[in-house]
Amino acid sequence: MGTPKQIPETFSVEQAFNLNIFFLVDIWSLVEPKVIEEEQKTGFYSFFFIDICSTYDCHAEWNEAIRLVLHVPKEEQRTLQLTLPEIFSCVIEFCKIFNEYFNAKIGYAIDLLESMRKDPKNHKKEWAIWLEMVTIITEKYMDKKDNFDWSDQLCPWKAE
């Protein structure tokens, strides 16, 4: 095994998207026990964390999250570089976009992410997952050209 790559100061939109998706899929195991009753009634959490995130069918929502956080339109994002704190803010905004689609049915996920930012010491497990995903993106996905769908359109469906 070679020397681990140093974590870069910035990431492209595509790399940040992968970090977002990998993180959300991995953090599901910590979210699920907290929302089990709600999940059994609605299924919105597993639909978001598993179906949407693991199918990568949410490129436009990622572009929109970046636009809302950094005020950079989608058309100007192709060369944009994001810092880790900016990416984390975009992850929260990404979840807020889907929470709106689901009529406020995945609010716990947003509360958890905002709590992570406000009180990092009380979220060591969650931050460990974040750091693990940052490391994976850095070591395995930095040099790969991604299949990021820049033509993806917002909200091809909406929760009823």
Side-chain angles (χ1 to χ4, degrees):
M1 233 162 113
T3 308
K5 290 184 182 178
Q6 184 173 354
I7 294 172
E9 288 185 28
T10 61
F11 294 78
S12 70
V13 168
E14 297 95 330
Q15 294 158 344
F17 174 76
N18 283 332
L19 176 54
N20 170 51
I21 294 301
F22 286 22
F23 174 66
L24 290 173
V25 168
D26 262 37
I27 206 167
W28 169 238
S29 64
L30 298 178
V31 171
E32 185 180 25
K34 305 287 187 188
V35 297
I36 197 74
E37 269 184 49
E38 210 176 326
E39 174 59 23
Q40 288 171 343
K41 289 179 196 166
T42 68
F44 283 116
Y45 280 97
S46 61
F47 180 63
F48 173 68
F49 281 94
I50 297 168
D51 295 338
I52 291 171
C53 291
S54 67
T55 60
Y56 291 73
D57 194 21
C58 47
H59 298 103
E61 287 78 9
W62 183 244
N63 291 129
E64 181 65 3
I66 291 169
R67 185 189 70 77
L68 291 168
V69 171
L70 300 175
H71 311 288
V72 176
K74 177 180 176 177
E75 304 75 43
E76 297 173 21
Q77 292 179 16
R78 286 184 187 262
T79 58
L80 187 65
Q81 292 288 305
L82 297 94
T83 65
L84 287 172
E86 289 170 336
I87 295 168
F88 195 79
S89 292
C90 291
V91 171
I92 294 172
E93 195 61 43
F94 178 83
C95 291
K96 286 180 179 179
I97 289 167
F98 281 97
N99 194 46
E100 188 177 312
Y101 286 173
F102 299 152
N103 297 314
K105 300 280 194 310
I106 62 166
Y108 175 80
I110 296 161
D111 293 344
L112 173 65
L113 295 171
E114 288 177 342
S115 179
M116 284 175 66
R117 186 166 47 191
K118 287 178 191 152
D119 192 7
K121 289 181 186 124
N122 283 333
H123 295 283
K124 289 183 175 149
K125 283 183 186 175
E126 293 89 343
W127 283 115
I129 291 171
W130 174 259
L131 184 57
E132 180 184 357
M133 295 306 109
V134 169
T135 302
I136 287 170
I137 295 300
T138 300
E139 293 186 357
K140 297 183 180 175
Y141 293 93
M142 289 303 278
D143 302 329
K144 292 189 177 174
K145 276 290 168 207
D146 211 1
N147 294 331
F148 190 84
D149 185 359
W150 287 95
S151 65
D152 191 24
Q153 298 295 308
L154 274 174
C155 193
W157 49 266
K158 221 173 188 192
E160 299 301 323

